């Protein structure tokens, strides 16, 4: 076998030139183009053995003698020229005359790959045993056979595959040199037995990749038994099922899997072996037995009265055996407890056999030779017929010359004694080894394509009326004539062209699927007649495979070189940009926003320049999320592109393309505005940190870290937290105490309700009174007449929702215990200020983690007031007392609830007393205090109801999907907004 230091193989496929500068090439393709630099020629022997052991005891003990040691081959029963065969261990031929006929094949460490296919390793004769083995996995037979073969294997051989399907067993072993080079082992089972899928018949198939270059498939099968035409059709059906259902796993090279899995036919070399069960037909079975028996006795004269020569020694052979499945009783196999054969019935004697040296050079030319007899029987072989009729194995499969006795059926414990039971089964070559190369398969596919093209052309000529040509002397229909010959007199079919023999001579080179050149040759194809523990004889075949194998060290070196070349070529034509963060002091190219407060908007500028020689297209990548909560957290950052011109204010699209040398500015804005993100920041479960990904098409990604420091806020906290904040605001309190996350509930309580709620509601009430006064005094001052104003967002002035900067100042004033009125610009009107404060109040209520009325209190209220929606307004005073009794269990929540509703009630009363927009200003000033009480009450009740609809969902924490609770929330708020005099 070639070593890694050997020169490149002379028969390797030439490397393909790869132009790394033309277009981007995949790394795998570029490495493969230089395969001649990292493959070296190897030569190994592959030994394949198949044996139907018929579940006979003791067969495992014979395994080592014929598979590994190569013994059990008898020259007398195999007319081959063994003296010049490379698969024969010649050292055994130089022994004494006693074992001159006991030939040994190569074995031991001279074999690189052992492949063993066994059939009937378990006894399926009893229905109960068969069902048990079908339902429950029994690994004991496989363990026994593995132990037998591994005990005989030379040191260092590794098991590559071991698969059992009921009675089928496939074992593959590799030498220490070959085993590390085998990859992509995939083994599949296909059952074709009872009901068409049970495992008593079928195949076990293994695919391997040898040396990363050569794909090999091994099929161990047991086809349907029986000699009639229906059984023959079933065997062909079995073959079709095995071919169609066997699907291997995708081949993986260098971590990259091929797109699809492979089937039988996609490999470079395939070997199909096992008990194919094809029989000899067209001849009486007794005639076959008599003819072959004469050869096994060494006497070819029916008139001879000479008794058959006995085996060496006297006595009888006693053995236990189980008949293997056969013609008409596959499912009714009977077990023989004891079978006794007289040793005089076993015709194994050298003295009665003709001297092999007396045979002519070509044994088939001697009409009295065993080979001539075998040649006369082979035309009746069903396997050859189905190949000729294109029913099975016609797609390139070949078989070596058969120069050995039929492998079935013998009396157990005998040599050359065919079935002497009552059934007296006809001898047949049931056990076979077929093989096929990729070239064989492609040649067959090409022939089929040519035939189809010729047939199509003939049909076209017939359609044009050219089928009756007077110049044609005769016509020949390949399909009809071939069938006629096949079904005619078999005795006249002996001299037909033997395609198998022609293929045997034309082995040639094989171009593998991965583009390498391999060669294979069959060294020997024989049976081990002296192995007597089963009614089948083991069949062996030795192949010599010459192939190119990848040397991992050399491939790694080529891989590194190609990777560097591709990287250099790719970088030269790859777009690239340079990102510079303005104002960065830590030289880490990160954006630092400093202190970030709730609703505060901060902006950073990043300069992006195209520093490559080709146009660069890039955009910020949206980080994928799986939940809405994550989206809410990530929405605190926004990006946009702008031209660097000072006069340019137009924002560009989400994707920008820069020519070489051009620049663009990326504006990154940060604002925490969602309640979910706010609460996570307050609890310490989130940070003001993220990483922006700037993706360049056909280039590398750029990562821009973004960070900031979160400023504590009163928003997004609970009432139980806020009542513990002293004067000076929450920012000072949290920073001085070093509190990270929620405010501990063991801190001192400084107020009965959140101070921030007091400040907001008082400021709103003061501004409401100011708005009413301004409307009465100023001609150009008109308040919105919508009953929901100023709590209804739809009534606010245009653009107020975007005035986050002012709202951020109000929030900062609450967090620092400053004046919230002074936090608003002086030039704003009182109505505008009232709308801003109302927006902040609603946001404050929504951000409370526990609400003004916590879930447990609201659940209790809902239970105490089941018919609240049907109660008249006159009953509300009593209901209010019930509500206050329940809320009194949480005094802080009770005070905050009552304070809010009483303040909003006064605001509703104040705004409802204003004159409608349809009255003139002069009349309004004169009649403002002389309005009808009924008219004012009606407007106030409408406003109270609308306010209750807005505040209800924010004040209560309950089941948001329950609509009936929503109505109860509104009624509870409305009854607290109703003045006592109007009850």
């Amino acid at each position: 076998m070639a070593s890694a230091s050997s020169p490149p193989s002379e028969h390797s496929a030439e490397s393909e030139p790869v132009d790394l500068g033309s277009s981007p090439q995949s790394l795998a393709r570029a490495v493969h183009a230089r395969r001649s630099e990292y493959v070296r020629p190897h030569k190994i022997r592959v030994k394949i053995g198949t044996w139907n052991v018929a579940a006979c005891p003791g067969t495992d003990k014979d395994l080592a003698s014929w598979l590994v040691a190569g013994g059990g081959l008898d020259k007398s029963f195999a007319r081959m020229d063994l003296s010049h065969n490379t698969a024969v261990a010649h050292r055994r031929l130089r022994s004494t005359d006693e074992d001159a006929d006991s030939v040994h094949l190569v074995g031991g460490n001279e074999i690189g790959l052992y492949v063993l296919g066994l059939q009937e390793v378990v006894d399926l004769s009893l229905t109960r045993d068969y069902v048990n083995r079908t339902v429950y996995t029994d690994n004991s037979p496989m363990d026994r056979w593995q132990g037998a073969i591994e005990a005989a294997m030379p040191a260092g051989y590794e098991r590559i595959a071991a698969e059992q399907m009921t009675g089928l067993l496939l074992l593959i072993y590799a030498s220490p040199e070959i085993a590390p080079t085998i990859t992509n082992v995939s083994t599949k089972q296909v059952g074709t037995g009872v009901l068409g899928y049970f495992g008593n018949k079928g195949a076990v198939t293994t695919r391997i990749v040898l040396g990363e270059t050569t794909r090999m498939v091994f099929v161990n099968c047991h086809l349907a038994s029986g000699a009639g035409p229906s059984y023959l059709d079933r065997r062909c059906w079995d073959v079709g099922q095995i071919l169609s259902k066997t699907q291997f796993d995708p081949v993986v090279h260098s971590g990259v899997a091929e797109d699809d899995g492979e089937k039988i036919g996609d490999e470079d070399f395939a070997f199909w072996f096992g008990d194919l069960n094809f029989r000899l037909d067209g001849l009486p079975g007794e005639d076959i037995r008599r003819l072959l028996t004469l050869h096994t006795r060494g006497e070819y004269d029916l008139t001879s009265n000479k008794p058959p020569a006995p085996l060496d020694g006297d006595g009888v052979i006693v053995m236990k055996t189980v008949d293997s499945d056969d013609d008409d009783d596959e499912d009714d196999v009977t077990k023989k407890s004891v079978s006794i054969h007289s040793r005089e019935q076993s015709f194994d004697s050298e003295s009665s056999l003709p001297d092999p040296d007396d045979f002519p050079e070509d044994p088939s030319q001697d009409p009295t030779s065993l080979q001539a007899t075998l040649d006369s029987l082979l035309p009746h072989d069903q396997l050859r017929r189905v190949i000729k009729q294109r029913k099975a194995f016609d797609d390139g499969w070949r078989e070596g010359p058969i120069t050995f006795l039929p492998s079935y059926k013998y009396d157990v414990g005998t040599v050359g004694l065919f079935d002497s039971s009552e059934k007296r089964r006809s001898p047949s070559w049931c056990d076979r080894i077929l093989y096929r190369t990729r070239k064989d398969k492609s040649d067959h596919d090409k022939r089929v394509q040519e035939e189809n093209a010729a047939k199509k052309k003939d049909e076209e000529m017939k359609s044009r009326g050219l089928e009756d040509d007077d110049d044609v002397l005769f016509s020949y229909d390949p399909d009809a004539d071939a069938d006629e010959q096949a079904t005619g007199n078999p005795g006249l079919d002996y001299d037909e062209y033997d395609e198998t023999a022609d293929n045997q001579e034309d082995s040639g080179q094989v171009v593998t699927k991965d583009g390498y050149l391999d060669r294979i040759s069959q060294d020997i194809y024989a049976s081990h007649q002296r192995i007597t523990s089963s009614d089948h004889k083991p069949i062996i075949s030795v192949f010599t495979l010459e192939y190119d194998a990848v040397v991992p060290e050399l491939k790694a070196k080529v891989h590194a070189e190609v990777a560097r070349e591709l990287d250099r070529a790719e970088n030269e034509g790859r777009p690239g940009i340079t990102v510079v963060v303005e104002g960065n002091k830590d030289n880490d190219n990160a954006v630092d926003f400093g202190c970030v407060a709730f609703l505060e908007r901060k902006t950073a500028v990043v300069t992006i320049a195209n520093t490559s020689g080709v146009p660069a297209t890039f955009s910020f990548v949206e980080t994928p999320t799986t939940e809405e909560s994550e989206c809410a957290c990530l929405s605190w950052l926004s990006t946009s592109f702008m031209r660097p011109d000072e006069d340019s204010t137009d924002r560009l699209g989400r994707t920008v393309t820069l020519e070489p040398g051009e620049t663009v500015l990326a504006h990154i804005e940060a604002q925490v505005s969602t309640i979910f993100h706010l609460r996570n920041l307050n609890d310490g479960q989130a940070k003001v940190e993220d990483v922006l990904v700037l993706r360049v098409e056909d280039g590398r990604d750029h990562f821009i870290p973004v960070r900031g420091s979160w400023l504590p806020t009163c928003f997004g906290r609970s009432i139980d937290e806020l009542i513990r904040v002293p004067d000076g605001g929450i920012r000072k309190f949290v920073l001085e105490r070093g509190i990270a996350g929620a405010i501990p509930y063991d801190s001192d309580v400084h107020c009965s309700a959140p101070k921030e709620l007091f400040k907001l509601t008082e400021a709103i009430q003061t501004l409401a009174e100011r708005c009413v006064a301004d409307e009465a005094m100023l001609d150009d001052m008109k308040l919105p007449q919508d009953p929901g104003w100023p709590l209804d967002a739809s009534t606010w002035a245009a653009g107020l929702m975007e005035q986050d900067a002012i709202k951020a100042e109000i929030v900062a004033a609450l967090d620092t215990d400053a004046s919230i009125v002074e936090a608003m610009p002086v030039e704003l009107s009182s109505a505008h200020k009232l709308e801003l404060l109302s927006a902040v109040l609603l946001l404050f209520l929504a951000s409370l983690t526990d609400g003004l009325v916590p879930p447990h209190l609201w659940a209790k209220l809902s239970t105490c007031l089941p018919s609240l929606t049907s109660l008249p307004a006159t009953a509300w005073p009593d209901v209010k007392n019930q509500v206050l009794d329940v809320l009194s269990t949480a005094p802080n929540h009770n005070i905050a609830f009552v304070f809010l509703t009483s303040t909003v009630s006064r605001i509703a009363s104040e705004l409802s007393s204003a004159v409608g927009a349809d009255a003139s200003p002069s009349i309004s000033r004169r009649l403002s205090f002389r309005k009808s009480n009924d008219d004012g009450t009606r407007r106030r009740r409408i406003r109270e109801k609308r306010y209750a609809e807005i505040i209800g969902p924010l004040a209560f924490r309950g089941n948001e999907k329950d609509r009936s609770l929503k109505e109860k929330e509104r009624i509870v708020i409305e009854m607290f907004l109703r003045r006592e005099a109007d009850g």
Side-chain angles (χ1 to χ4, degrees), residues 109-126:
N109 54 18
E110 295 185 43
I111 302 298
L113 204 61
Y114 281 98
V115 182
L116 173 64
L118 300 175
Q119 303 86 43
E120 294 192 41
V121 296
V122 296
D123 184 7
L124 302 180
S125 59
L126 298 179

Side-chain angles (χ1 to χ4, degrees), residues 654-914:
R654 299 181 62 85
T655 302
V656 175
T657 300
L658 295 181
E659 296 296 327
E662 290 185 340
T663 60
V664 72
L665 300 179
H667 288 248
I668 303 174
E669 294 183 347
Q671 183 190 34
V672 177
S673 58
T674 62
I675 294 177
F676 181 85
H677 194 194
L678 167 69
R679 291 175 179 174
N680 282 341
L681 290 169
N682 287 338
D683 294 341
Q685 298 179 5
K687 295 182 179 180
V688 187
E689 293 180 356
D690 204 349
V691 177
L692 294 175
V693 180
L694 188 61
R695 177 151 298 167
V696 182
E697 294 183 8
D698 299 325
R700 71 178 185 89
D701 292 343
H702 292 259
F703 302 92
I704 305 175
V706 179
R707 59 175 177 258
S709 299
W710 176 243
L711 290 177
T713 179
C714 61
F715 285 73
R717 297 185 183 271
S718 66
I719 289 180
D720 289 334
E721 287 183 88
L722 295 178
I723 61 177
R724 290 169 168 79
V725 178
D727 293 340
I730 192 172
R731 289 187 186 176
K732 179 180 178 182
F733 174 66
V734 170
L735 294 176
E736 288 180 350
R737 296 289 186 90
I739 298 174
I743 298 174
Y745 285 175
D746 58 357
S747 303
D748 295 336
V749 177
H750 292 277
C751 51
S752 58
K755 187 176 181 180
E756 295 80 6
L757 181 62
F758 292 149
K759 295 179 66 174
L760 276 174
T761 53
E762 287 177 349
I764 291 175
Q765 181 179 348
T766 301
L767 278 173
E769 295 172 354
R770 177 64 182 272
C771 288
V772 173
D774 288 346
E775 184 186 37
M777 294 183 295
L778 303 175
D779 294 337
D780 58 349
M781 179 69 173
K782 292 183 179 181
L783 299 179
Q785 296 303 306
D786 189 286
W789 188 84
L791 298 182
D792 190 348
S794 64
T795 64
W796 295 339
L800 184 132
M801 295 295 292
E802 288 75 28
Q803 294 183 3
D804 290 334
I806 301 177
K807 288 187 282 187
E809 291 295 333
I810 298 174
V811 172
L814 293 172
D815 292 337
T816 58
D817 200 10
S819 173
I820 59 177
V821 175
E822 295 179 359
M824 294 181 287
V826 179
E827 63 273 12
L828 293 181
S829 65
S830 57
H832 200 165
K833 292 179 180 179
L834 180 58
E835 291 175 348
L836 286 170
L837 287 180
S838 299
V840 174
L841 173 63
L842 297 178
L843 183 58
F844 178 82
L845 295 176
S847 69
L848 288 173
T849 57
D850 51 358
L852 292 179
V853 180
H856 71 281
L857 290 181
W858 181 226
K860 189 174 182 180
L861 283 173
S862 301
T863 305
C864 296
L865 306 171
S867 58
L868 183 62
T869 55
S870 61
L871 289 176
T874 55
W876 283 3
D878 295 334
V879 176
K880 287 175 60 177
N881 293 330
Q882 292 181 340
V883 172
L884 291 175
D885 288 342
V886 173
L887 294 180
S888 63
T889 57
N892 305 116
H893 289 270
N894 186 19
I895 294 173
F897 179 81
V898 172
F899 184 80
L900 174 66
T901 54
S902 60
T903 304
V904 173
S905 176
R906 288 194 292 270
I907 295 172
S909 178
E910 186 68 30
L911 295 178
S912 299
S913 65

Side-chain angles (χ1 to χ4, degrees), residues 431-461:
D431 308 277
R432 314 288 274 268
I433 299 177
L434 310 179
Y435 67 103
R436 181 179 66 183
T437 68
R438 175 173 290 274
K439 183 177 183 299
D440 297 332
K441 180 67 164 58
S442 62
D443 289 347
H444 164 266
D445 295 340
K446 184 178 179 181
R447 285 194 302 271
V448 171
Q449 186 177 4
E450 292 174 350
E451 290 174 2
N452 291 336
K455 185 176 181 180
K456 183 177 180 181
K457 185 176 180 180
D458 291 342
E459 293 175 352
E460 292 177 354
M461 293 181 64

